[in-house]
Amino acid sequence: MTRFNLLFRPAPWALFVLIGAFCLAAGTGFGQITISGEVTKPLTLQAADLKALPHTEVTGKDRDGKEHKYAGVPLADLLKLAGATMGGELRGENLMKYVVVKAIDGYETLYALPELDADFATRTIILADSVDGSPLPSGVGPYRIVVPGEKKPARWVREVKSIEVRFAK
Amino acid sequence: MTVSRFVLFGFVALAVLAAFQPADDPVPTGPYELKYPASFGGRFSIPADNPMTQEGVYLGRLLFYEPRLSATGTVSCASCHQQSRAFTDGLAKSVGVSGKPTRRNSMSLVNLLWVRQLFWDGRSNSLEEQTLVPLQHTDEMGLKPGEAALKIQKTAPYAALFRRVFGSDSITDGRIAKAIAQFERTLISADSPYDRFLAGKYALTAAEERGFRLFSTAPNPERGIRGGNCVHCHGGPKLMQELFHNNGLDSNATDPGRQEVTGLELDHGRFRVPTLRNITLTAPYMHDGRFTTLAAVLDHYSDHVQASPTLSRELVAAQAGGLGLTPSERNDLLAFLHLLTDTVFVNNPQFSNPHVRH
């Protein structure tokens, strides 16, 4: 506790700056992602939250036919953070759950929950925020789904806005 | 009960029911059967609390064409959504009870059964909710909440019809909206030459074929591939994708469009991609009706696409300023766009004004 205080001693005004920055980010909504639906803790993550989460690197072939290095947060980690039924809980009726990823332009695709879970899948599907070391270009970023190994990148949703877990009826 | 006795019982029950129905009753009853091509898919927008019935559609059609549902008694939904124009009005901006133009161009009411985000900016999530907007807008029909019921409760068929459709005579804004929504969901257009082509029942002419190829191909200048890639936004059997894009009309849009709904900067100047079905009938074009002809629309995509931070990537990727269409490419695209007109739809007697006796 003392050590923490020594390392991190916020100035009294810092909180206001933080709140201000937060309001700005919330106002424009830039770089904000929501995770909702069949989860125990619906989340709205700001750009800074996402940046702070552990990143994984994957390679994949984009529409240009070339291999690129993408870095981002595994979708599975985001889903766990929101309390979706991943890992040991992914069985029985929970195998009828799927994830809908929506883009700003309204484009949407789905992934079955086991496709995203490390106990099932050999590949790691990520919410990428950089390509070959730079931020994603406008019209693609700030976030894009990357599905390594998938031959057609139609599920590599660009400009990702929301992630929703649903039950198939 | 044996099967035959069960069937007999059914017939008797039907006969008893029929006896209670006046012989000249024009109101059809029972569940409404939707007919549409399998390629349109079953992802409908029908809410659980408003299942479609024949009597509901019948009532909705009367209300859609009912000018009493306006402050002046002169404006109905059909004033701005005319069947002969695929349910648009031919004006750049519509005019309702106030005489003042509305903010945007009237939209074609077609294949709404498959639309989930209504209006140019997608701000309404159901037809039931959407209907209340024009009813109560001061420049459209100009009624106050609850006023619509007063306007029609003394008119002959309505109380009885509301009872038949909803189980009691109470007329409310919500019930009016539900009935109109049921009628709107029947406005299915699926019989244009394009539909017949997809079904293998129409052969394209050479120009239509070239136009279809331009419509469907993504341009690639490096490899010398010509195309408009219209299909990316306007493609598929329904000729619409429910997407929001900035198609480069302005470098700084005066109408923020989708941004007003989401608050996102990335949505500035984006509008819902409109269907191209019946496009020859729905001029003028775009959310503000700025283009009077399809030739002007093609001019836009060819030479006047304006750069801006939210210009759709698909249009940036083409080439600076636009596709650079040649005169013959324009003619081919126009020939294709003419295939999208469904004359059966605009002449379908089930969609016409029921207050007029033919």
Side-chain angles (χ1 to χ4, degrees), chain B residues 315-342:
Chain B
L315 293 165
V316 181
Q319 63 189 60
L323 301 162
L325 299 170
T326 65
S328 69
E329 284 172 333
R330 283 170 208 233
N331 285 340
D332 294 342
L333 271 171
L334 276 177
F336 174 74
L337 293 175
H338 275 83
L339 291 179
L340 313 182
T341 309
D342 182 351

Side-chain angles (χ1 to χ4, degrees), chain A residues 28-29 104-105 108 158-159, chain B residues 43 243-244 267 270 314:
Chain A
T28 56
I104 288 172
D105 72 0
E108 50 186 358
R158 302 187 288 224
E159 299 191 306
Chain B
R43 201 181 181 201
L243 298 176
F244 295 87
D267 274 327
R270 291 198 199 214
E314 300 307 317

Side-chain angles (χ1 to χ4, degrees), chain A residues 43-166:
Chain A
L43 289 178
T44 299
L45 296 171
Q46 306 298 334
D49 303 331
L50 278 155
K51 208 166 168 196
L53 290 170
H55 279 47
T56 299
E57 215 172 73
V58 300
T59 50
K61 229 182 235 170
D62 197 359
R63 283 197 196 278
D64 60 7
K66 295 182 193 132
E67 292 271 351
H68 295 279
K69 271 207 176 97
Y70 296 90
V73 183
L75 269 187
D77 293 358
L78 293 173
L79 291 168
K80 272 182 226 151
L81 211 58
T85 50
M86 301 295 277
E89 289 178 295
L90 193 41
R91 52 162 128 127
E93 66 168 8
N94 291 335
L95 291 168
M96 286 298 284
K97 283 182 186 158
Y98 61 99
V99 170
V100 173
V101 171
K102 258 194 199 176
I104 288 172
D105 72 0
Y107 188 78
E108 50 186 358
T109 61
L110 70 80
Y111 316 81
L113 219 41
E115 281 190 274
L116 306 174
D117 192 277
D119 291 354
F120 288 78
T122 48
R123 62 186 183 186
T124 308
I125 300 181
I126 64 167
L127 181 72
D129 55 11
S130 74
V131 56
D132 301 326
S134 341
L136 297 170
S138 77
V140 177
Y143 307 109
R144 180 187 197 182
I145 300 287
V146 173
V147 189
E150 193 140 280
K151 287 196 283 179
K152 190 172 174 173
R155 296 201 298 173
W156 293 32
V157 179
R158 302 187 288 224
E159 299 191 306
V160 172
K161 175 163 96 171
S162 66
I163 298 166
E164 191 187 338
V165 183
R166 296 188 196 161

Side-chain angles (χ1 to χ4, degrees), chain B residues 288-305:
Chain B
D288 53 5
R290 67 175 67 191
F291 299 132
T292 52
T293 61
L294 284 175
V297 171
L298 293 183
D299 252 11
H300 163 73
Y301 284 111
S302 176
D303 305 312
H304 303 290
V305 173

Side-chain angles (χ1 to χ4, degrees), chain B residues 140-158:
Chain B
E140 296 184 47
M141 299 160 88
L143 295 179
K144 296 189 182 61
E147 216 181 344
L150 305 177
K151 295 273 180 191
I152 57 169
Q153 67 192 3
K154 292 204 186 68
T155 310
Y158 287 119

